[in-house]
Amino acid sequence: MVFEKLEKRIIISGTIEAVTPLHIGSGRSEIEVGEVDLPVLTTPDGQPYIPGSSLKGRVRAEAERIARQNGAEVCKPPDVKEMCGSKKQSTDEFCICCRIFGSAGNISLASKVKFRDSYPLEKVETLLERTGIAIDREKGTVAKGALYTIQAVPAGTKFSLEIVAENMSGEELKLLKAALKSVQDSALGGSSTRGFGKVKFVIESVRERTAGYYLGKENEKIMAGAELQRWLDMI
Ligand SMILES: [Zn+2]
């Protein structure tokens, strides 16, 4: 079905800017003495980055909320048993979010959208460290050993952004664009309740490539400037 042919590939390029400090954690649970309790995820050379999977997870979550509000029936990841791949008989019955972002289960479906890992455009010299107080969620009181340190990328840091979408229907592309806009008004990463994680996506170009392009028969279509703005506004 959709993956048998390459009809159209859309490459969305630009930057992600941290408007407020950004904490994308490693998800580690064990902490050694003297370490930052909640470090940011870094590359082997110590630079912070945003894994494509983190960005995809946030964009998918916003897409699900928007689609539901718009009256669509949408399954409930991340529990595989609750996803279309487990609950539906064929991919034709999958919800719009599984069609865009993929589904696991008895019937698995690959994502039509790839989010590349995002790296800083310039070397990040210093990371912020903030101290927080851990609250016992059940009692609503300050927990034992309550102080912790959270690391974050400073506001103003810019990261690369590349999203590649294949064979998307008009409706699917609209939802993807709407979800990207919604993430900007929500947050990315941890500690959003203390104001972390506000980000801005700056889309600088959109390229459309077909099978004919790769065979050297057609030119790619590059959108920038006013045309790009119209494309981004088409929701
Ligand atoms: Zn689904």
Side-chain angles (χ1 to χ4, degrees):
M1 40 164 286
V2 284
F3 294 109
E4 288 176 1
K5 290 182 188 168
L6 176 62
E7 290 162 16
K8 190 160 73 179
R9 174 175 285 149
I10 293 173
I11 303 166
I12 301 169
S13 311
T15 60
I16 306 177
E17 184 178 340
V19 178
T20 61
L22 176 66
H23 173 84
I24 304 285
S26 60
R28 244 174 14 147
S29 56
E30 291 187 18
I31 295 161
E32 287 175 28
V33 176
E35 282 189 321
V36 176
D37 296 342
L38 296 168
V40 297
L41 193 59
T42 54
T43 59
D45 61 354
Q47 286 294 292
Y49 76 107
I50 305 168
S53 55
S54 295
L55 187 55
K56 182 184 175 187
R58 282 296 298 126
V59 174
R60 179 174 189 146
E62 288 303 303
E64 286 165 359
R65 296 170 70 199
I66 292 167
R68 281 191 199 110
Q69 180 61 29
N70 201 27
E73 194 193 308
V74 176
C75 67
K76 292 192 172 70
D79 185 349
V80 173
K81 292 197 292 294
E82 297 298 323
M83 293 184 76
C84 292
S86 300
K87 300 189 108 174
K88 304 288 183 184
Q89 302 303 313
S90 89
T91 53
D92 296 341
E93 299 167 22
F94 279 21
C95 74
I96 187 166
C97 293
C98 284
R99 294 203 307 272
I100 298 173
F101 300 101
S103 185
N106 301 327
I107 310 173
S108 63
L109 183 67
S111 177
K112 288 184 177 181
V113 190
K114 292 184 185 72
F115 292 79
R116 308 274 188 220
D117 292 345
S118 293
Y119 297 101
L121 300 187
E122 289 175 11
K123 191 168 184 221
V124 177
E125 302 286 352
T126 321
L127 293 166
L128 298 179
E129 283 182 11
R130 297 271 172 86
T131 302
I133 296 173
I135 302 292
D136 185 314
R137 287 187 191 215
E138 280 180 20
K139 296 179 191 152
T141 54
V142 173
K144 271 188 191 160
L147 287 184
Y148 69 92
T149 307
I150 183 168
Q151 206 173 40
V153 172
T157 306
K158 288 180 180 163
F159 295 85
S160 59
L161 172 68
E162 189 172 276
I163 303 167
V164 181
E166 292 181 4
N167 300 347
M168 300 270 281
S169 72
E171 189 193 11
E172 291 163 359
L173 206 48
K174 274 184 189 177
L175 183 56
L176 175 65
K177 287 189 271 187
L180 283 167
K181 288 184 181 176
S182 187
V183 170
Q184 294 187 121
D185 288 341
S186 175
L188 190 65
S191 246
S192 60
T193 51
R194 65 193 297 181
F196 281 17
K198 181 170 171 58
V199 292
K200 187 176 179 201
F201 299 119
V202 179
I203 311 291
E204 285 158 3
S205 76
V206 171
R207 284 170 286 166
E208 286 184 10
R209 294 175 170 176
T210 60
Y213 164 82
Y214 293 104
L215 289 167
K217 293 178 184 170
E218 287 173 24
N219 289 326
E220 64 179 344
K221 186 178 171 202
I222 303 174
M223 282 185 274
E227 187 189 13
L228 174 62
Q229 198 52 52
R230 275 197 303 279
W231 185 85
L232 291 170
D233 289 342
M234 263 194 302
I235 285 184

